[in-house]
Amino acid sequence: MSILKKKSFGWYVLLVSAIVAVVGLVQFSSWAPNHSATDTVITVALILGIAIDLVTIWKDLDILVVASTACYMVGCVRIVTDNVGSFVDAYQGIVMFGDSTQVGTIVTIAVIMGVAAVLSAVSGFLPREKA
């Protein structure tokens, strides 16, 4: 309990970032295999980002915050670019390049990853330990 007394608001933001990323990873991992969208780059990027956040919780280094933010953004951008055909089909009203019914799920997963990235970046500007 004395460890938590030394932590500041930025530490809690970083912890929430890791939790949000876990939610995104679970959602992506449960959705992707059923829709032929499994991508190891997204999975590895999210796992690496979560691991870096957990290391940063114990070893406070700003460069690790940058690395975890980058990992989360790789996952966020990669899921959108991998499924651009679904967005095209939804826009065109046809079924040719992807599955337009999955656009909502794709956007939801990308937003969750984006929120994790933003929280991670914000934690880099906040003190994570009390003086």
Side-chain angles (χ1 to χ4, degrees):
M1 197 61 151
S2 63
I3 294 173
L4 293 179
K5 290 181 181 179
K6 295 188 289 185
K7 301 303 178 187
S8 183
F9 183 67
W11 186 85
Y12 292 102
V13 172
L14 189 66
L15 183 63
V16 169
S17 171
I19 292 169
V20 170
V22 168
V23 169
L25 178 63
V26 168
Q27 188 172 7
F28 175 74
S29 298
S30 64
W31 169 81
N34 297 329
H35 299 282
S36 300
T38 303
D39 188 350
T40 55
V41 172
I42 296 171
T43 305
V44 169
L46 289 176
I47 291 171
L48 189 60
I50 293 164
I52 292 170
D53 271 351
L54 294 177
V55 168
T56 307
I57 286 172
W58 281 276
K59 180 77 172 159
D60 190 18
L61 294 172
D62 288 334
I63 192 68
L64 295 178
V65 174
V66 174
S68 68
T69 302
C71 288
Y72 295 148
M73 284 310 298
V74 165
C76 179
V77 171
R78 181 79 182 223
I79 191 170
V80 172
T81 57
D82 281 355
N83 295 291
V84 72
S86 297
F87 289 96
V88 170
D89 283 358
Y91 178 73
Q92 298 281 337
I94 60 173
V95 177
M96 181 181 271
F97 303 110
D99 186 359
S100 62
T101 63
Q102 296 304 311
V103 169
T105 305
I106 296 164
V107 169
T108 302
I109 296 169
V111 166
I112 290 171
M113 292 178 195
V115 167
V118 168
L119 288 172
S120 181
V122 167
S123 74
F125 294 99
L126 299 172
R128 289 179 292 281
E129 292 195 12
K130 293 180 182 174

